[in-house]
Amino acid sequence: MADLLDSAPQTPQMRILLAAGPIFADKGFRDTTIREICEAASVNVASVNYYFGDKQKLYHEAVLFARQMQAAQSPEPSWDESTPSADRLRLFIAMILKRMVVNEQAPWQVRLLLNEIQNPTETCVQLVEDYFRPFMQSLANLVRDIAGDPIDPLFANQLVLSIVGQCMIYRFAPQTLTMTLGDLFEDQDREQQLDRLTDLITHFSLAGIRAAVSKTKRQT
């Protein structure tokens, strides 16, 4: 993420995006004003309309920019054809956790994207088409590889959601989780936390996929 920001010219448009993102993340679209964005970006109050058209279009660009920054920080994994499916799954899970969990306080990019996912606008349509659907399809294909036998597309998608859900639960309501279960990470190093959690979810998911597929085969 730092590399992306370092390489980006600090134009008025970029200053507006960098100012708007955290404000939209904290206050939401409705309660955010153009004036406070412009004050935070140190630009004239007419700049949003000049560079983006209106607040809705600025919000759209801010969400897409947040996704771009997140992808730059934790790019999707790559491998060659000889990489075992279990190792591929671990790389996927590590990426999800790094994007969603590893920070003590969710960065504004994560908060803004989660807000958009939970309260979708037209911007979410583009996120789905450009990012979410291809990602979920790649993970579904990987689940089929691990299953070893042809499985129903709905069943594959349910297994995918089971994997993603194990990762996402650590981001949703973290304070409530801590109050309920105590500190889930204690004072471990963040990289150690990520590795241990990645291993746990990977092993659990591999065993779960194989057990679920085996049970389904016995029932047919």
Side-chain angles (χ1 to χ4, degrees):
M1 185 184 304
D3 292 341
L4 179 65
L5 291 178
D6 291 342
S7 63
Q10 289 299 301
T11 61
Q13 296 98 313
M14 182 61 65
R15 295 208 308 273
I16 292 169
L17 280 174
L18 291 172
I23 299 174
F24 281 134
D26 291 337
K27 302 182 66 174
F29 174 79
R30 180 180 299 178
D31 293 334
T32 296
T33 67
I34 290 178
R35 181 173 296 278
E36 64 185 320
I37 291 172
C38 291
E39 288 178 353
S42 299
V43 296
N44 186 280
V45 72
S47 296
V48 166
N49 287 342
Y50 179 80
Y51 290 111
F52 296 94
D54 57 29
K55 188 173 80 166
Q56 181 66 56
K57 292 176 182 177
L58 171 59
Y59 173 81
H60 175 84
E61 293 300 326
V63 172
L64 297 183
F65 184 60
R67 177 60 180 76
Q68 180 186 5
M69 293 178 71
Q70 191 184 48
Q73 182 186 33
S74 304
E76 291 194 12
S78 59
W79 48 66
D80 56 42
E81 294 183 357
S82 65
T83 305
S85 55
D87 292 343
R88 298 182 187 187
L89 179 62
R90 190 186 190 283
L91 289 170
F92 260 108
I93 291 170
M95 179 201 67
I96 297 171
L97 290 175
K98 187 174 182 181
R99 287 182 178 180
M100 302 300 298
V101 175
V102 80
N103 297 293
E104 289 279 2
Q105 174 67 31
W108 69 261
Q109 296 90 350
V110 172
R111 301 198 310 276
L112 182 56
L113 288 167
L114 286 178
N115 288 346
E116 177 61 24
I117 292 169
Q118 293 175 303
N119 302 283
T121 68
E122 292 182 2
T123 298
C124 198
V125 175
Q126 184 169 344
L127 288 176
V128 168
E129 292 299 323
D130 292 349
Y131 304 111
F132 299 160
R133 183 174 288 126
F135 173 81
M136 298 296 271
Q137 186 59 56
S138 296
L139 196 49
N141 291 338
L142 180 54
V143 164
R144 293 187 185 93
D145 289 343
I146 294 169
D149 293 311
I151 58 176
D152 178 81
L154 175 60
F155 185 35
N157 288 335
Q158 290 171 334
L159 292 171
V160 165
L161 291 177
S162 295
I163 296 169
V164 174
Q166 291 180 78
C167 302
M168 296 290 286
I169 190 61
Y170 287 89
R171 173 48 61 200
F172 285 103
Q175 293 179 333
T176 302
L177 283 177
T178 300
M179 287 189 291
T180 304
L181 301 174
D183 190 345
L184 296 173
F185 296 117
E186 298 177 341
D187 294 324
Q188 304 168 19
D189 177 81
R190 280 283 160 180
E191 289 301 320
Q192 290 181 334
Q193 294 175 15
L194 181 64
D195 285 341
R196 293 179 182 179
L197 190 54
T198 299
D199 286 340
L200 171 63
I201 295 176
T202 301
H203 296 155
F204 195 90
S205 298
L206 287 170
I209 291 169
R210 291 161 180 161
V213 171
S214 177
K215 181 178 180 180
T216 300
K217 289 172 63 177
R218 292 196 303 268
Q219 291 174 341
T220 57

